[in-house]
Amino acid sequence: MLRLVRARVSALPGGPEAGKQTERPKSGPPLVLLPSTPPVPTTERILQRGIFEINGRSCDVVLSDSALRWKPIQPEHPAAPAVGNSKCDFLSKEEFIELKDLFSVKLKWRRSAKQQKGGTLLGITLFVCMKKEQNKLKDYILNLNNLSEDHCALWVKDLKKILTEFSNRPKSLKVLINPQSHKKEAAHIYYEHVEPLLKLAEIKTDVTITEYEGHALSLLKECELQEFDGIICVGGDGSASEVAQGLLLRAQMDAGIDTNYILTPVRTSLPLGIIPAGSTNALAHSIYGVTHIETATLHIIMGHMQTVDVCTFSSTGKFLRFGFSAMFGFGGRTLALAEKHRWMPPNQRKDFATIKTLASLKPENCEILFLPAKTSQNFQEGSRNEHKTTESDYNNQWQKIQGHFLNINIMAIPCCCSMISEGLVPNTRLNNGSMALIIARNTSRPEFVKHLKRYASLKNQFNFPFVETYNVAEVKIQPRNNCECDTGEFEFHGTSSKKNYPWNVDGDLMEVVSEVHIKVHPQLMKLYGGHLEEMNDYKIG
């Protein structure tokens, strides 16, 4: 059965004002033809139905408990349009948004420049999180225009109630900003780009600007965290690693675990969100697939979460730190040299350290023990020396490699960045319970440089006779102290002949005298970020 109503009617059958008698108008807008039941799937429960102007067209709008749907209302014509008329089909096309992609709803007012409150009500504004190209997210504004204050208030009340039912979304966040990150833009990035979106989503924040290295670590170990739903770090890889370290150590302390001897760490209770504001942003890029500030912020607002594997680093049985990736040899020496020239601008310092370390390239004499992972993965097709894990490998327990090595990488994350979008190890996953062990044996300088250059193009970077790849659960690296080697820029400590060997752990310098034991712990931490395949790619209007 069809019903004739005026285009400015505010409520229709299915809404709270259903049942009111509507008289046939004598004048005014043209008559429109509306169906007696809205086109909503039977599994959805209708909460509201009414008429709003959307993109300049009067639309029949239906709010259910899972979606908002609308369809343009067409004036009644003396003659019915021809079947298959493409223009009419386009104009009458139903559109929708899923409420799981909605993150804020506000009343829309027209105010003068001096007005703070009041004004003329124009309708409702919805803020929707949408997919964009290349893993990016964006916020989309949808205006539902209607001049009835009572009608709009009912819709806003129902929409806000639905928003409060998304229990995974944060209501209160602790924000840590490193003002020294990269070009010292972290505070500007937060206050100009992140905070407005958090306020729009009505998320409470407590902001601390860190004053020195280790400030975030000590703060997280001591402050009360019960009132927060998550922790946000605004900075680069070093800042993110420090905050992650603080959260993990706090979890161990709360569980009564001695942090000097952590064998089986407990999981963190609060998720960590990273706003990229550094030079490399490898951790943020690995999680979000892009270093885009709005994307990172929207992942946090929407409560998108995923678990990630974390590694423990220990030496002679004593716990050193948590981390996601590590480099020993060339990678460690380069960082150690860069740290001694912090007076240089970041990019210049990085280039200087890389060139100088390559100029004095020399291998480390090491013994490597590793425990193969139960799950196998392919690092890259065509890898010449890829060692796939089999059940017999795992049953054989520890495997041993000895020799001289130019570089050793251990990675539980892909380590993506702007120059290497797919990561140093493209097929590494964030939570598969294993690490990639990549070994570069001693070779000529030109061959090693060629290997490094291929990371940027992601073309057969492992396809060299001196490169070996393994999928491991644990690894132990024992440098063999060589008193005859040139110490270069690295100092001996104390009176013994043993020196501190530099490691690059998540962009932080770690110096250790003896063996380092690295073990991956599956899904030890929750990070804000998600799979974009689960989100809708709306084309509205």
Side-chain angles (χ1 to χ4, degrees):
M1 180 178 178
L2 299 176
R3 197 175 166 204
L4 294 175
V5 297
R6 295 183 67 174
R8 295 185 65 83
V9 170
S10 297
L12 294 172
E17 300 179 27
K20 293 184 180 180
Q21 193 69 26
T22 304
E23 298 180 0
R24 185 181 178 93
K26 296 180 180 179
S27 61
L31 296 176
V32 295
L33 203 61
L34 292 177
S36 58
T37 56
V40 177
T42 55
T43 56
E44 296 181 18
R45 181 169 59 92
I46 299 174
L47 303 177
Q48 295 282 355
R49 191 181 180 200
I51 293 178
F52 290 88
E53 182 185 278
I54 301 177
N55 294 328
R57 294 177 292 174
S58 293
C59 296
D60 176 17
V61 185
V62 178
L63 174 66
S64 72
D65 53 5
S66 62
L68 181 81
R69 304 173 186 276
W70 65 94
K71 192 173 183 179
I73 300 169
Q74 299 303 311
E76 184 181 25
H77 296 286
V83 177
N85 187 313
S86 58
K87 183 176 180 180
C88 290
D89 291 344
F90 173 77
L91 291 174
S92 61
K93 178 184 175 183
E94 180 188 277
E95 299 181 79
F96 75 97
I97 57 170
E98 291 191 54
L99 297 183
K100 68 181 182 65
D101 298 324
L102 180 70
F103 69 90
S104 183
V105 55
K106 305 286 183 183
L107 287 172
K108 180 183 177 183
W109 298 90
R110 180 191 288 126
R111 296 187 176 113
S112 65
K114 296 182 179 180
Q115 274 186 297
Q116 297 295 325
K117 295 182 179 180
T120 303
L121 179 70
L122 299 179
I124 304 170
T125 299
L126 306 181
F127 298 87
V128 185
C129 179
M130 298 173 60
K131 278 197 303 185
K132 203 177 176 182
E133 72 282 353
Q134 299 176 343
N135 295 324
K136 292 181 180 179
L137 299 179
K138 65 176 180 178
D139 63 303
Y140 177 85
I141 295 176
L142 179 65
N143 289 312
L144 308 182
N145 297 323
N146 189 300
L147 303 181
S148 170
E149 291 192 23
D150 292 339
H151 184 56
C152 289
L154 287 172
W155 279 69
V156 169
K157 180 182 177 181
D158 282 345
L159 286 164
K160 287 197 170 186
K161 182 181 178 183
I162 291 170
L163 287 178
T164 61
E165 294 171 354
F166 293 113
S167 58
N168 60 314
R169 297 187 183 181
K171 306 294 188 298
S172 178
L173 295 169
K174 177 65 182 176
V175 181
L176 298 168
I177 302 174
N178 179 3
Q180 300 301 318
S181 287
H182 192 36
K183 297 179 180 179
K184 302 183 179 181
E185 295 177 342
H188 172 79
I189 286 172
Y190 175 75
Y191 288 113
E192 292 296 321
H193 303 286
V194 179
E195 187 183 55
L197 283 172
L198 296 180
K199 284 185 175 180
L200 188 62
E202 299 181 3
I203 296 175
K204 297 178 182 178
T205 56
D206 182 76
V207 180
T208 297
I209 297 179
T210 58
E211 299 175 0
Y212 53 88
E213 186 177 350
H215 186 185
L217 179 62
S218 60
L219 188 147
L220 289 171
K221 289 167 67 176
E222 298 171 1
C223 75
E224 295 294 328
L225 299 177
Q226 293 89 338
E227 62 184 286
F228 302 114
D229 300 314
I231 307 296
I232 304 303
C233 169
V234 187
D237 288 326
S239 304
S241 179
E242 181 182 329
V243 174
Q245 173 96 340
L247 276 173
L248 287 161
L249 284 175
R250 176 62 180 268
Q252 314 317 305
M253 293 166 61
D254 290 345
I257 297 175
D258 184 353
T259 54
N260 289 318
Y261 302 95
I262 300 176
L263 299 176
T264 307
V266 298
R267 292 180 172 89
T268 58
S269 58
L270 294 178
L272 169 63
I274 302 170
I275 303 297
S279 56
T280 306
N281 302 306
L283 184 54
H285 201 139
S286 298
I287 297 163
Y288 305 127
V290 66
T291 52
H292 186 243
I293 295 166
E294 184 180 4
T295 295
T297 307
L298 287 172
H299 274 302
I300 294 166
I301 290 172
M302 302 303 292
H304 299 155
M305 271 184 274
Q306 57 183 320
T307 55
V308 295
D309 301 338
V310 183
C311 305
T312 52
F313 294 78
S314 58
S315 181
T316 62
K318 186 175 181 180
F319 174 79
L320 297 174
R321 60 165 295 156
F322 292 100
F324 299 96
S325 65
M327 298 181 187
F328 179 73
F330 173 77
R333 286 176 175 272
T334 301
L335 179 62
L337 186 56
E339 287 297 305
K340 293 187 177 185
H341 295 80
R342 291 198 69 86
W343 52 270
M344 291 184 177
N347 291 335
Q348 184 179 341
R349 180 173 71 239
K350 188 186 302 182
D351 293 342
F352 166 80
T354 301
I355 293 170
K356 190 160 185 180
T357 306
L358 281 173
S360 58
L361 186 67
K362 58 179 177 244
E364 294 286 2
N365 185 8
C366 298
E367 178 181 276
I368 302 174
L369 294 170
F370 65 88
L371 185 65
K374 289 183 179 180
T375 57
S376 64
Q377 68 185 45
N378 296 325
F379 293 102
Q380 181 176 331
E381 293 184 10
S383 178
R384 183 176 298 185
N385 298 299
E386 178 187 337
H387 296 259
K388 295 182 180 179
T389 303
T390 65
E391 189 63 30
S392 61
D393 289 332
Y394 190 81
N395 292 334
N396 287 337
Q397 299 299 311
W398 292 91
Q399 311 289 309
K400 181 190 288 188
I401 304 173
Q402 292 178 309
H404 291 76
F405 306 97
L406 290 176
N407 195 49
I408 301 171
N409 290 343
I410 304 103
M411 299 179 181
I413 62 173
C415 290
C416 306
C417 65
S418 58
M419 294 180 293
I420 311 172
S421 59
E422 297 298 321
L424 294 176
V425 191
N427 291 333
T428 301
R429 298 293 177 260
L430 293 170
N431 53 12
N432 65 349
S434 67
M435 303 178 290
L437 171 61
I438 306 167
I439 299 170
R441 291 183 179 270
N442 193 20
T443 187
S444 67
R445 184 182 293 108
E447 283 296 296
F448 184 67
V449 171
K450 189 185 297 183
H451 161 63
L452 295 179
K453 284 183 175 181
R454 283 197 186 176
Y455 276 108
S457 63
L458 290 176
K459 292 181 180 178
N460 302 320
Q461 66 264 43
F462 306 131
N463 194 19
F464 290 89
F466 59 88
V467 177
E468 299 173 16
T469 60
Y470 300 87
N471 192 31
V472 302
E474 295 183 54
V475 61
K476 298 177 181 179
I477 297 177
Q478 174 64 65
R480 294 178 171 182
N481 191 42
N482 187 348
C483 296
E484 297 178 358
C485 69
D486 176 22
T487 60
E489 300 243 355
F490 305 102
E491 301 174 358
F492 285 94
H493 296 265
T495 57
S496 75
S497 61
K498 291 186 178 180
K499 65 176 180 179
N500 272 350
Y501 289 90
W503 285 74
N504 180 338
V505 182
D506 296 337
D508 290 335
L509 180 63
M510 180 180 77
E511 295 182 301
V512 187
V513 172
S514 57
E515 172 190 279
V516 174
H517 179 195
I518 306 160
K519 182 178 180 180
V520 66
H521 300 272
Q523 303 181 24
L524 193 62
M525 192 170 195
K526 291 185 292 185
L527 295 180
Y528 285 111
H531 303 286
L532 295 185
E533 292 80 7
E534 299 173 0
M535 300 194 63
N536 289 301
D537 185 13
Y538 299 113
K539 292 180 174 59
I540 298 175

